[in-house]
Amino acid sequence: MRRIGQYIATHPRRVLAVMGLLTVLAVIALFRIRFNANVASFLSEGNTTGEAFADLQEKYGTSDPVNVILSLGEGRSFRDREWLVELASFRDEILDVEGVASVAALVPASSPIDGRPLPPALIALAPAEVLEQVTAGPVGELLLSADGRHTLLLVVPVDDGVPVARALSELEPPAGTEVTVSGNPAVYAAIVDILSLFLLLIPPVVVLLLVLTFWANLGERRLSVLALVPALLGSLWTFGFLSALGREIDVVTVIVPIFVLVMGSADGLHFVAHYQDVSRDIHDPVERIVSTLREVGVPMILTTISTAVGFLSLLATGIGPIRQLGIFTAVGISFAGLISFFALPAILTHVGVADGRRSLVGDRLTSSVRWLVVRRWPAPTLVLLVAVFASVFIPRLTVDSDPLFMFTRDHEVRQAFERTEELFGGATPLAGEFVLDPAAREESLDAARRASMELESLPGVRSVFSAVDLLDALPPETAEVVLSGGADLPFGDLVADDGLRFMLLPGEFEEDDLQAWLTYADRSESVRVLTGLPVLWDELARLILRAQVGSVVAALALVFLMLLVVYRRLLPTIVALLPLVMTIAALLGFIAASGIQLNMITAVASSIVIGVGIDYAIHFVAAIDHARPGGPGYVLRAIDRAGRPIAANALGIAIALTALLLSPLRTHHHISGIMWVSMTVAALGALVVIPALLPREGLGATTAGNENAP
């Protein structure tokens, strides 16, 4: 460490030049940043359920439609000619929107019989019996509410549905009507807006809260800002790295820079805090750097590795977006660790340290920790409380299979989905395929009809729609065109050489209902596949539950092996891990007790806490080993040395992540609460429980002489 410290302190410009070059390259790469709001795209990767969904969409050339509900006031009905004409006019406006491929409406754009256009003027002149057939037929049953006041238009985009959803939300509806826009493209459009707002608003607030927290503990503004430089640059480099690789930012990876900021600030804080301490006795800048690296250099390396390991354990989940979050956050933490080890000392060689500064809360926190440590009861009491709390609440953990889990209850996206579900079934219908045997076509069609009726008889199913519903309402020659795939249907392709695509529109349903549908599909010889986003989210819920167990076991195992290699003794390894196990128990208990469910983001919290929580134990154990040669009282001397940065980092993470309360996404609010509990227990566990496992001589004469001293 001495040679490294001397090189950095005597050649700071070389180190800073490399850091500056990499920063410039990262900024240039940021101009390539792109967003991916398509949740289904990463749900469909890496599992058979998702692949079946993607294969069905590709086979029939379909994409997620935008659901547009046109609603009338009391006493009006789309069964009346005047409103059918208005509907036809609105349908044509939608067809004129750029990116719209087709519109499935109560009044189609062209006749399914002869393909002739059906403009509003023709609807105004059509015989009353024709209009009655339109509203009473199978399409009417699907797209018209029972009271006739609401009609559903299924808008199929050519490619990207996000701009289409935005354009439809801005369309002026006919006078006397109200429009509701839902469907997956509408969700993706909202997510893109949220991601942009998130990156503009949240990181600056996080930085401000971290600096204020560090200043309250260090008592010096310059050092408080410098402590955050490695995390800031690590976050910037990470996003530049993501952009350079052409990776898109989605609803999960958008939180990567926040994690890098708060988790990556730990090493910078420990370095400047120790640098501040040694500066009181050492005035030579080179020797200050050497002395600081000698004391915290190895712990910094270990904590960088352990935090990265905590995130890399997410690779064990098998869930694409969570694995990506783990990889890129680990990269960012590694970047921040390298900058803390090399660039931060180079910067500090040019920065003086003010004399006589006293922190606002850091010294008080250290005194409070000393007070707890010299008494015998706080440590076992804390362990017992956490054990009881966890044993009561962890069995109550549940998984959130809600596809809108990220939105608050009053968000317009959720309200639009609930309105669509209330009037027409789920805003995201299931998709499936009936078997069609060309050699026995009539038998296949009859089997599809029976399967359709049997599906509709299952709990939670509102209706099932497929080509067979159209065939029964069309003349034989037109039905033949539909079966041959020659008809231009607004619903998209419904017929393939060996199958018939169908839509299952659910009403209110429970998870047991969904399983009943899937069980029927598996057992039915007429149903080749039943899939869709509700099925994908159900599968994701199962993966998340396995991911929670797998990632925790993987992270604990990796950290245990790393500590065992470093310490080469079992006892200090177990001592360092015990507060971590306690923190995980408190975390999972809090998630269950607070009503927060496991989802794609909250499920990663345990691995994050493992990676961060072990840092406190590593730094504290290193401080104890450093103070041990000084004789009895070494634990209290270690608290004086390491207690302040540990408390500052725990507070910094918790307070900084309070900024997530500004996010429109509900799950970010949950992360804020989770990290408050986790960081508090992790810091207390390290500083209070570890001393209780060590010989009492570590408390020295203070134990006997100052038992009641604060």
Side-chain angles (χ1 to χ4, degrees), residues 510-569:
E510 303 293 335
E511 200 273 337
D512 289 343
D513 298 331
L514 177 61
Q515 292 305 313
W517 308 342
L518 296 175
T519 299
Y520 174 85
D522 287 340
R523 294 176 178 174
S524 173
E525 295 182 357
S526 301
V527 179
R528 180 173 287 129
V529 64
L530 178 61
T531 182
L533 279 186
V535 180
L536 293 186
W537 281 108
D538 181 72
E539 177 68 15
L540 182 66
R542 301 173 192 280
L543 289 174
I544 284 173
L545 194 58
R546 292 200 296 268
Q548 183 68 74
V549 176
S551 63
V552 167
V553 172
L556 283 174
L558 290 171
V559 170
F560 174 81
L561 290 175
M562 183 196 74
L563 294 178
L564 191 60
V565 169
V566 173
Y567 294 145
R568 299 181 182 178
R569 288 181 297 160

Side-chain angles (χ1 to χ4, degrees), residues 371-384:
W371 186 88
L372 291 171
V373 166
V374 298
R375 287 156 176 78
R376 294 181 179 273
W377 59 266
T381 301
L382 179 62
V383 172
L384 180 62

Side-chain angles (χ1 to χ4, degrees), residues 105-394:
L106 186 63
V107 180
S110 59
S111 170
I113 297 176
D114 54 19
R116 287 187 302 171
L118 297 176
L122 188 59
I123 301 299
L125 300 175
E129 57 269 20
V130 172
L131 299 184
E132 185 178 350
Q133 288 177 356
V134 169
T135 56
V139 175
E141 293 177 5
L142 181 70
L143 302 180
L144 187 64
S145 64
D147 60 4
R149 290 178 50 219
H150 312 275
T151 185
L152 176 65
L153 298 93
L154 300 175
V155 183
V156 180
V158 174
D159 186 16
D160 186 3
V162 170
V164 172
R166 283 205 181 102
L168 294 178
S169 298
E170 296 170 0
L171 274 183
E172 189 69 28
T177 66
E178 179 185 344
V179 167
T180 302
V181 178
S182 65
N184 292 323
V187 174
Y188 306 154
I191 290 175
V192 167
D193 294 337
I194 289 171
L195 295 185
S196 303
L197 175 66
F198 186 96
L199 291 178
L200 288 174
L201 176 64
I202 306 299
V205 177
V206 168
V207 170
L208 176 62
L209 292 175
L210 279 173
V211 170
L212 290 175
T213 306
F214 291 174
W215 174 68
N217 283 273
L218 297 175
E220 190 170 347
R221 287 188 297 272
R222 284 178 300 178
L223 290 182
S224 300
V225 173
L226 289 175
L228 200 55
V229 166
L232 278 168
L233 293 180
S235 182
L236 176 63
W237 290 10
T238 303
F239 254 24
F241 182 61
L242 274 166
S243 301
L245 292 178
R247 304 303 294 262
E248 295 177 321
I249 307 303
D250 56 46
V251 69
V252 177
T253 53
V254 72
I255 206 171
V256 166
I258 306 300
F259 283 149
V260 174
L261 276 174
V262 296
M263 314 304 179
S265 64
D267 286 335
L269 177 62
H270 278 282
F271 191 91
V272 299
H274 285 280
Y275 183 81
Q276 185 183 42
D277 289 338
V278 301
S279 296
R280 296 169 184 169
D281 304 316
I282 302 173
H283 301 290
D284 178 28
V286 175
E287 192 57 35
R288 285 176 178 176
I289 297 298
V290 171
S291 178
T292 304
L293 274 179
R294 186 190 303 126
E295 185 170 349
V296 299
V298 171
M300 284 170 61
I301 294 172
L302 291 178
T303 54
T304 297
I305 295 174
S306 65
T307 305
V309 163
F311 281 99
L312 288 175
S313 68
L314 297 176
L315 293 174
T317 63
I319 302 174
I322 293 181
R323 296 175 68 179
Q324 185 167 285
L325 171 72
I327 292 172
F328 288 115
T329 308
V331 169
I333 295 295
S334 301
F335 284 154
L338 288 171
I339 297 168
S340 298
F341 194 92
F342 292 102
L344 185 56
I347 296 173
L348 286 171
T349 57
H350 299 286
V351 178
V353 179
D355 297 327
R357 290 296 184 94
R358 182 175 177 82
S359 65
L360 298 177
V361 298
D363 295 329
R364 292 182 177 86
L365 286 174
T366 302
S367 298
S368 299
V369 171
R370 288 171 61 94
W371 186 88
L372 291 171
V373 166
V374 298
R375 287 156 176 78
R376 294 181 179 273
W377 59 266
T381 301
L382 179 62
V383 172
L384 180 62
L385 286 175
V386 170
V388 171
F389 178 73
S391 63
V392 170
F393 288 104
I394 287 180

Side-chain angles (χ1 to χ4, degrees), residues 48-49 52-53 55-56 60 431-435 500 502 518 521-522 524 526-532:
T48 55
T49 304
F53 176 70
D55 290 344
L56 187 66
Y60 287 92
E433 184 182 32
F434 293 130
V435 174
L500 301 171
F502 69 86
L518 296 175
D522 287 340
S524 173
S526 301
V527 179
R528 180 173 287 129
V529 64
L530 178 61
T531 182

